[in-house]
Amino acid sequence: MLLPYYQEGVVEAGCDEAGRGCLAGPVYAAAVVLPPNFSNDLLNDSKQLTERKRYQLREVIEREALAWAVGIVDNQEIDEINILRASILAMHRAVDQLTVRPQALIIDGNRFYRYRDLPHTTIVKGDGKYMSIAAASILAKTYRDDHMLRLHEEYPAYHWDKNKGYPAKVHREAIRQYGTTPYHRKSFNLLGSTQLEIDFG
């Protein structure tokens, strides 16, 4: 059972990202402010849910949250600033767009850069502990999946409809066979342990 808040009586925004370990595509993050009385027994870390449940819960979160927003950092920015900074920047961009100003942030993971004057708390595996972080994990994951499905239509050989840009075997085989796309993260080890000469185009 997830906890409704980290600190009682404080307007908290839960933040999480999706796509940090991918070889292609942007990193997405979401920030969610839930009402104090919010309750949903199905809500959980997005990785513990089926795709169908994630999309069902996305509708509930968007309807019932006091505020929610999604932030994006594309693969070119990731290559320029590194994936950790990009993940945190995506969270900052999500918080930037919230229509309700939170009094504190709770962040999934163990690293974060201060956002303006807001206090923040990092929580390892927070998406399996607190409702607002779990809600953010669902929004980040589903919106990123939607984006990767659109990119799949442009580059079907990489099977992003199934692997969403993660380092699946079929994805790496396609990179070996066809080279990279404009959406690949050139700073990543795209071919894994058997790195070969590759056309970065």
Side-chain angles (χ1 to χ4, degrees):
M1 191 76 175
L2 301 185
L3 298 170
Y5 47 76
Y6 179 75
Q7 190 176 346
E8 190 173 7
V10 172
V11 179
E12 290 177 341
C15 302
D16 199 5
E17 54 73 29
R20 189 168 163 176
C22 293
L23 305 179
V27 62
Y28 269 60
V32 179
V33 180
L34 293 173
N37 60 346
F38 182 83
S39 178
N40 188 303
D41 291 340
L42 298 177
L43 188 62
N44 203 347
D45 164 15
S46 65
K47 296 184 290 296
Q48 304 301 319
L49 300 167
T50 64
E51 183 176 10
R52 185 163 168 267
K53 281 271 167 51
R54 283 196 292 267
Y55 281 94
Q56 287 175 340
L57 284 164
R58 182 167 94 176
E59 291 183 16
V60 173
I61 294 160
E62 292 179 355
R63 184 174 64 245
E64 299 188 20
L66 296 178
W68 63 271
V70 173
I72 306 165
V73 175
D74 69 22
N75 57 297
Q76 292 176 328
E77 286 182 281
I78 291 168
D79 286 339
E80 287 168 14
I81 65 175
N82 81 42
I83 188 59
L84 173 64
R85 289 176 182 274
S87 299
I88 294 170
L89 177 59
M91 292 189 215
H92 283 202
R93 287 177 177 172
V95 177
D96 278 342
Q97 300 172 69
L98 289 173
T99 55
V100 171
R101 179 169 169 77
Q103 297 169 307
L105 305 176
I106 54 174
I107 315 294
D108 181 60
N110 62 2
R111 298 287 297 279
F112 192 69
Y113 303 136
R114 188 174 182 84
Y115 177 85
R116 300 187 183 178
D117 60 346
L118 291 184
H120 69 265
T121 304
T122 56
I123 301 162
V124 174
K125 297 186 178 175
D127 49 3
K129 296 174 183 174
Y130 293 95
M131 287 185 181
S132 62
I133 301 180
S137 79
I138 289 165
L139 295 191
K141 170 68 174 161
T142 55
Y143 276 98
R144 188 181 186 282
D145 284 357
D146 290 347
H147 181 80
M148 293 309 295
L149 289 174
R150 291 191 293 272
L151 297 189
H152 168 74
E153 292 177 9
E154 203 175 333
Y155 290 96
Y158 299 85
H159 300 278
W160 291 334
D161 58 329
K162 298 289 194 295
N163 64 59
K164 306 300 190 292
Y166 282 91
K169 186 176 179 183
V170 68
H171 186 182
R172 284 193 153 131
E173 287 298 332
I175 296 170
R176 285 192 184 92
Q177 189 169 351
Y178 304 111
T180 59
T181 71
Y183 302 114
H184 278 98
R185 302 175 183 178
K186 307 297 171 57
S187 58
F188 279 46
N189 182 2
L190 296 176
L191 292 173
S193 56
T194 56
Q195 188 80 40
L196 303 172
E197 284 293 318
I198 185 165
D199 174 23
F200 284 119

